[in-house]
Amino acid sequence: MRNLGSVAEEASTSHELLSITVLDARSQDEWVLNSGCSYHICPHRDWFVTYQPIDGGNVLMGNNMPCKTIGTGSIKIRMHDGIVRTLSNVRHVPDLKKNLIRHP
């Protein structure tokens, strides 16, 4: 289980974009809430409580760099208020630098 930690919020109603940025960039336990991504994505295989290896193709990053998806599953995270949430259909992308939570 991971802690969502300290975050700074930035929202724009004109573009309906929500971005939450991690204040402590050194921590790889943090998650970034991103309305621009298509899936929840995590590079840490050992965080998955369920896991299925897949040949999931590539995920294109914001700089158009492709990163290979090698699995999918669920991850439990502990929120700042202590509530444990389960993220389902999380893509395992080992080359990713940050953990991403898709915002609908």
Side-chain angles (χ1 to χ4, degrees), residues 13-73:
T13 55
S14 62
H15 294 100
E16 294 186 21
L17 175 69
L18 174 63
S19 174
I20 295 183
T21 306
V22 175
L23 296 177
D24 182 2
R26 296 171 297 162
S27 176
Q28 295 196 4
D29 288 354
E30 306 290 347
W31 290 81
V32 176
L33 185 62
N34 187 332
S35 63
C37 64
S38 301
Y39 309 100
H40 305 309
I41 306 173
C42 179
H44 307 288
R45 168 60 182 97
D46 58 322
W47 290 8
F48 286 82
V49 293
T50 64
Y51 189 83
Q52 179 178 349
I54 62 169
D55 180 7
N58 292 318
V59 173
L60 282 180
M61 298 296 115
N63 62 358
N64 285 329
M65 180 179 169
C67 293
K68 188 158 180 58
T69 301
I70 64 168
T72 187

Side-chain angles (χ1 to χ4, degrees), residues 82-94:
I83 294 175
V84 175
R85 303 246 188 244
T86 301
L87 296 177
S88 301
N89 301 313
V90 180
R91 306 298 170 116
H92 180 210
V93 180

